[in-house]
Amino acid sequence: MTQYLNGVWIWNLSEIRDDYLDKLVERKVQRVYFKVFDGKYQDQPTFWNWQCSPEIIQEFNSRNIQVYGWGYHYGTADIARQIVKVRQALNCGLDGYIVDVEKEVEDSSTHTNIDKLLSALRIIVKGGTFGYTSFGNPRLHPNIPWKILDKYCDFTLPQIYFEKFTFKPTNPEKVKDCLDAYKNLGLKKPILPIWGSESDTAKPATVAELQDYLNYYSGSSIWRIPQEGERGEAWNLIYSGFELPILRRNLRQGRIGDDVKAVQKAMNARGYNAGTVDGNFGSQTEVAVRAFQKEAGLSVDGEVGKLTWTALGGQFHG
């Protein structure tokens, strides 16, 4: 199973704190996403060479931080020009590339261009490292070409900025509604949510909420590192190194407790869907455990004992 790294997004590298590399290491960041392309910057496709160069990327890589580039694409017909500029960014040594498409491509007349663009990008972006990002809830944006994006890309990074959403009463309900909307469309690619933490939010997400979501969803990330003078919690989070507690009993369907919550978090953090972290070892948690056991080469019984917990990286003192 592919292991996806949690990360953080950067818009303008020159506008964040000067010691960003040291701070990223302190926060245990293993992947950053920063802007390297815009399809209409000064009215033309533009490679952002002022913040994407072999030297800049090497600075991140030397700290064991992957660098994914992202670019805003508008569904325009100048496919060849866009490909030239994205290729320039990739040639700097990017570890992957993310296509950002939003309101402009809700116009169905852009969909043929999007198909052609993604087909061409698929050729030049390394397998397993090509993603797309768009609105957090497809149910509310049905005219985005979701199936075309799913066809060519390796994974999706939905913008689930729950601190701004109002369509459900609680944040867990908002998140579930977004994720269910992706699944209900029949989209097949892995979902790596982006959680928002921004200056212009009336009811900003707390550090505790954001940290739980980072731990809960493997490969998720935070939009974005605040620029100087902006509010945001990105610098106050830990992006890797989630540790499991010591397990002191075997867990199976019907068991309830904080140790069950730990199992559910561990499964979700590794991409196995154990459902809501509620401390109730139900059927969905058992399905997740069985899937993990099968892939780990363990006896598949749906129970979490010493061998399964140790395989997850925990300690068992039963």
Side-chain angles (χ1 to χ4, degrees):
M1 177 183 172
T2 300
Q3 295 296 308
Y4 296 104
L5 300 176
N6 290 348
V8 66
W9 294 66
I10 299 172
W11 188 4
N12 290 306
L13 194 60
S14 63
E15 299 296 324
I16 65 175
R17 56 191 296 164
D18 292 337
D19 62 343
Y20 59 82
L21 283 172
D22 291 337
K23 192 68 174 178
L24 290 169
V25 171
E26 176 192 308
R27 298 287 94 189
K28 299 183 180 180
V29 174
Q30 296 178 323
R31 178 181 292 176
V32 296
Y33 301 89
F34 60 67
K35 190 168 184 177
V36 300
F37 171 87
D38 193 286
K40 288 188 177 180
Y41 184 81
Q42 297 181 344
D43 297 321
Q44 61 183 336
T46 302
F47 163 44
W48 282 30
N49 61 350
W50 56 90
Q51 67 177 31
C52 180
S53 69
E55 294 76 20
I56 291 172
I57 292 174
Q58 179 55 38
E59 286 184 336
F60 283 88
N61 292 164
S62 70
R63 305 293 188 98
N64 295 314
I65 300 171
Q66 293 182 356
V67 179
Y68 274 57
W70 63 274
Y72 200 105
H73 296 264
Y74 297 81
T76 52
D78 50 0
I79 310 299
R81 295 173 66 195
Q82 293 178 63
I83 295 300
V84 167
K85 299 303 180 181
V86 173
R87 190 190 295 272
Q88 287 180 293
L90 292 170
N91 287 344
C92 292
L94 292 174
D95 293 289
Y97 187 71
I98 310 300
V99 170
D100 184 1
V101 291
E102 299 184 26
K103 61 182 181 180
E104 294 82 8
V105 304
E106 290 185 294
D107 181 346
S108 62
S109 68
T110 67
H111 293 183
T112 298
N113 292 334
I114 290 295
D115 191 291
K116 291 178 180 178
L117 172 69
L118 295 176
S119 177
L121 286 173
R122 177 72 278 177
I123 295 170
I124 66 173
V125 181
K126 183 171 64 176
T129 72
F130 186 29
Y132 73 91
T133 182
S134 192
F135 296 106
N137 195 323
R139 178 176 61 82
L140 304 178
H141 299 275
N143 294 326
I144 295 290
W146 300 109
K147 295 292 180 69
I148 296 174
L149 292 160
D150 192 66
K151 173 183 175 182
Y152 290 105
C153 295
D154 300 309
F155 50 85
T156 177
L157 302 99
Q159 299 162 22
I160 305 181
Y161 302 163
F162 58 82
E163 64 176 9
K164 293 184 174 182
F165 293 166
T166 59
F167 51 79
K168 292 287 182 180
T170 69
N171 288 337
E173 288 176 292
K174 296 171 192 174
V175 171
K176 186 176 187 303
D177 194 64
C178 291
L179 297 176
D180 285 349
Y182 274 84
K183 295 171 185 175
N184 291 340
L185 279 177
L187 305 179
K188 305 298 184 184
K189 300 304 170 60
I191 301 172
L192 314 182
I194 309 172
W195 319 115
S197 182
E198 297 187 81
S199 261
D200 60 348
T201 307
K203 296 181 179 179
T206 66
V207 170
E209 285 178 305
L210 293 166
Q211 189 66 67
D212 280 347
Y213 279 113
L214 277 177
N215 292 341
Y216 189 98
Y217 291 98
S218 176
S220 65
S221 55
I222 298 294
W223 172 268
R224 58 182 165 77
I225 288 180
Q227 298 177 173
E228 289 293 339
E230 290 184 329
R231 188 186 70 218
E233 302 293 356
W235 285 129
N236 298 320
L237 301 166
I238 300 297
Y239 292 83
S240 63
F242 172 68
E243 294 184 0
L244 299 174
I246 296 172
L247 191 62
R248 301 187 183 279
R249 60 173 180 163
N250 288 349
L251 299 177
R252 62 183 66 89
Q253 191 165 171
R255 290 285 172 91
I256 296 172
D258 287 342
D259 48 4
V260 175
K261 287 183 179 180
V263 168
Q264 291 168 328
K265 286 184 178 182
M267 289 295 160
N268 284 316
R270 287 158 178 76
Y272 301 93
N273 181 15
T276 302
V277 178
D278 56 7
N280 187 347
F281 199 122
S283 58
Q284 190 167 351
T285 300
E286 181 177 322
V287 168
V289 170
R290 287 178 175 274
F292 171 76
Q293 290 172 329
K294 181 178 180 180
E295 191 153 338
L298 302 172
S299 176
V300 179
D301 59 9
E303 299 185 9
V304 180
K306 181 177 180 179
L307 292 178
T308 298
W309 196 239
T310 301
L312 283 165
Q315 298 182 54
F316 185 91
H317 295 167

